Amino acid sequence: MAEPLVDGFGRVARKLRLSVTDRCNFRCDFCMPLHPVWMPHSEILTYEEMTRVVRILADMNVTKLRLSGGEPLMRRDIEKGLKLFRSVEKLESISMTTNGYFLAEKAKALKESGLNSVTVSLHSLKQERFEEIVGRKDVFGKVLDGIKTAKAVGLHPVKINCVITRGCNEDEIIDFVELGRQAGLSIRFIEYMPFDGRHPWDSSRLVPGSEIIAKIEEKYRLLKLPREPGSTSVSYEFADGSAGSVSVITSMTQPFCGDCDRIRLTADGKIVPCLFSRDEYDVKKLLRGGASDEEIASFIRDSFRKKFAGVETLLKKKKVEPLVRPMHTIGG
Ligand code: SAM
Ligand code: SF4
């Protein structure tokens, strides 16, 4: 095995977030600009090119792969991609974050092609509100079906991502908790991060994770679980032994950048060491320019060494500026 991938602060990469496409059929309020500009098809990496980077990274002990986007299920023949990624022997697991719209029809094939687990984004349990948030009509039922089918075909675990924003859905925190308890789901509440979507980012809409946990504890006693190194979330079980769990992703109020273990690859072949930095390094020109695996590995090492210190650096500034790069191009 090659040397592990280490950044300038000594943080070691173990997880790859791979954005397989920038395209999406939803227009979430906090993610997608009103008029998105898609990457030209010719710029998007083929599955073979992606697999080559996955293999080079797996050899450096980056063995946990999460597929994201855009909407990963919008990418044609995603099952083919999964099978190719699966062929990388050193890969430990493949998971996916999806809006769930195509999940009911694809879950079985995804599982058979090598997907282990899935996280579905669901920001409201009220149809009208959900559809307002995601900017699409008649999609709520399909997302709920997708969650049920994912469980039924044995994708495990099935988690729910819920971005809580002030004045929109913070009144549904307990409803989500009840869903988690009844359906045995892990509910992940995400703080609103500084990316421009339909509106410019607005810090007054951020609901801190501490407030979310305090709200839940008015009703249920929670048991905090030890945080896994490198995890973006703090998780809790219910003291009464109920099924389900809750997590908060406190990227803004309590970031865990100190032991971050992620590296990102965009659909158009940019290595992005940190979600909160605009730095990116074009590995596609090497992939398409005849470079050897060793040259690509060395380019990735040099890029990753320059990884940004973390969100704390942004927060030290008086005002957090939203990141210009749209969230859907980097894969959340
Ligand atoms: N389309 C897929 C989905 O929605 O699950 C995967 C890509 S999406 C960019 C990945 C995750 O980022 C989703 O859970 C989404 O809700 C979350 N997200 C998008 N914009 C966000 C923002 N401004 N703040 C916090 N989370 C955000
Ligand atoms: Fe699409 Fe996911 Fe962004 Fe929503 S959060 S617009 S589903 S990429």
Side-chain angles (χ1 to χ4, degrees):
M1 193 181 76
E3 289 285 298
L5 187 57
V6 186
D7 75 12
F9 298 92
R11 294 171 296 186
V12 181
R14 296 186 212 290
K15 299 179 190 138
L16 170 63
R17 289 269 169 102
L18 172 57
S19 173
V20 291
T21 178
D22 64 325
R23 270 116 175 123
C24 189
N25 53 332
F26 284 11
R27 297 287 180 272
C28 296
D29 173 274
F30 37 71
C31 171
M32 195 57 86
L34 265 185
H35 304 290
V37 179
W38 306 125
M39 296 166 180
H41 279 292
S42 58
E43 296 301 317
I44 292 187
L45 296 186
T46 63
Y47 287 130
E48 286 76 10
E49 289 168 331
M50 288 179 176
T51 306
R52 188 166 173 211
V53 179
V54 169
R55 180 171 288 113
I56 290 169
L57 281 168
D59 203 41
M60 298 183 209
N61 210 23
V62 180
T63 53
K64 294 188 171 183
L65 173 63
R66 175 170 293 274
L67 307 183
S68 187
E71 171 47 41
L73 298 182
M74 286 282 284
R75 174 88 191 237
R76 189 176 299 173
D77 294 335
I78 187 69
E79 299 81 0
K80 170 188 161 181
L82 271 166
K83 283 180 194 152
L84 280 173
F85 305 145
R86 223 345 125 204
S87 71
V88 176
E89 276 174 21
K90 288 183 183 155
L91 216 54
E92 265 177 61
S93 62
I94 310 182
S95 51
M96 179 184 282
T97 305
T98 169
N99 66 28
Y101 182 82
F102 297 106
L103 196 53
E105 61 194 82
K106 284 188 175 271
K108 189 164 178 285
L110 295 172
K111 166 97 177 135
E112 286 165 3
S113 306
L115 186 69
N116 299 110
S117 59
V118 74
T119 300
V120 184
S121 299
L122 182 69
H123 313 292
S124 175
L125 299 173
K126 300 175 199 275
Q127 173 161 2
E128 206 177 314
R129 181 182 284 176
F130 177 79
E131 294 181 351
E132 164 55 27
I133 295 171
V134 304
R136 286 289 179 260
K137 287 259 171 263
D138 300 326
V139 295
F140 183 65
K142 284 198 74 165
V143 176
L144 294 187
D145 281 352
I147 296 168
K148 276 188 213 133
T149 313
K151 279 205 99 172
V153 303
L155 289 169
H156 185 76
V158 177
K159 298 183 185 177
I160 303 296
N161 268 3
C162 174
V163 178
I164 295 287
T165 50
R166 179 101 50 214
C168 173
N169 58 356
E170 82 260 47
D171 58 336
E172 290 189 67
I173 292 168
I174 296 296
D175 296 346
F176 271 100
V177 168
E178 302 298 0
L179 171 76
R181 289 169 61 88
Q182 280 153 24
L185 291 167
S186 160
I187 310 288
R188 294 157 43 90
F189 294 106
I190 308 181
E191 289 180 348
Y192 174 44
M193 294 190 275
F195 297 88
D196 283 351
R198 207 182 301 166
H199 320 279
W201 186 72
D202 171 4
S203 60
S204 68
R205 292 176 69 198
L206 196 163
V207 180
S210 55
E211 190 178 319
I212 295 171
I213 292 300
K215 179 88 203 153
I216 301 170
E217 284 188 317
E218 284 172 15
K219 184 151 186 196
Y220 294 110
R221 201 158 71 78
L222 296 175
L223 301 176
K224 193 174 186 171
L225 300 173
R227 179 178 158 267
E228 273 177 41
S231 171
T232 48
S233 59
V234 184
S235 300
Y236 300 80
E237 283 178 353
F238 297 100
D240 63 7
S242 159
S245 63
V246 292
S247 306
V248 277
I249 289 104
T250 52
S251 314
M252 298 305 296
T253 61
Q254 271 182 289
F256 293 113
C257 302
D259 63 357
C260 176
D261 59 1
R262 277 169 303 283
I263 180 168
R264 298 181 141 78
L265 177 64
T266 65
D268 64 343
K270 309 274 172 34
I271 292 286
V272 175
C274 172
L275 179 64
F276 288 98
S277 155
R278 291 174 195 148
D279 297 341
E280 55 181 34
Y281 305 91
D282 187 4
V283 74
K284 183 174 62 202
K285 66 177 186 311
L286 278 82
L287 288 166
R288 294 190 178 172
S292 66
D293 283 2
E294 290 68 30
E295 285 165 332
I296 292 173
S298 154
F299 177 84
I300 295 175
R301 277 188 197 290
D302 290 346
S303 309
F304 193 69
R305 206 167 292 127
K306 294 178 243 172
K307 179 165 168 156
F308 179 61
V311 181
E312 286 93 340
T313 318
L314 287 181
L315 299 179
K316 276 187 197 138
K317 296 182 185 167
K318 282 211 176 81
K319 186 171 181 290
V320 178
E321 297 292 339
L323 290 157
V324 174
R325 185 197 346 235
M327 177 70 139
H328 71 100
T329 61
I330 355 170

